[in-house]
Amino acid sequence: MPLFKKTKSDRPVLAVDIDGVVSLFGFEQRTDPGRMDPREAPGEFHLIDGLLHCIALDTGPRLNRLSEIYELVWASGWEDRANDHLPVILGVPELPYLTFDGRAEFGTAHWKLTALEEYAVSRPLAWIDDSLDESCNEWAEQRSEPTLLVPTESPVGLTDAHMETLEAWVRDGFQPR
């Protein structure tokens, strides 16, 4: 089984994790039964595949803006299910997605490395994820093509600062950051 659904492009790849980038968690919120106030959340709550997700709606316009300079690909354990829900919620097109043949492991990112490498091949790759670890940093340093890792905080997700970093990396010719 292929590790991804791929489109043809020569643009740099932006691999986008979902949990901790688009779907936020771990933010301050009352946990008393019946006391949760959705107006205090950093996004909008959606029931997706039986689980409640806090989707940061401002991520949609940000991803659309990044799609002007990157080929975006979902890099998440959601795999193809991302396209079942997120395009409608965020106002983004369906995106190619990586598949992991059951290797997904919550709280780490190293299980994504093979699929990322096979997808990006010889193109520059930026990767935004809340679970980047030392093995990801080592992989990025050893990769022959320019590679940018952009860590997020799971209660906050994709920010304006991340946007500037991602846009500047392309604008500046993939210089190390």
Side-chain angles (χ1 to χ4, degrees), residues 3 16 21 45-46 61 70 74 77 96 100 113 121-122 138 145 166:
L3 293 174
V16 181
V21 176
F45 287 99
H46 290 267
Y70 286 97
W74 296 124
F100 305 101
L113 299 179
V121 189
S122 60
E138 291 170 5
E145 297 301 323
L166 290 161

Side-chain angles (χ1 to χ4, degrees), residues 90-117:
L90 295 174
V92 300
E94 286 192 9
L95 299 177
Y97 53 88
L98 303 181
T99 61
F100 305 101
D101 293 330
R103 293 181 303 220
E105 185 178 329
F106 184 77
T108 67
H110 58 80
W111 51 271
K112 298 177 182 181
L113 299 179
T114 299
L116 285 165
E117 187 63 44

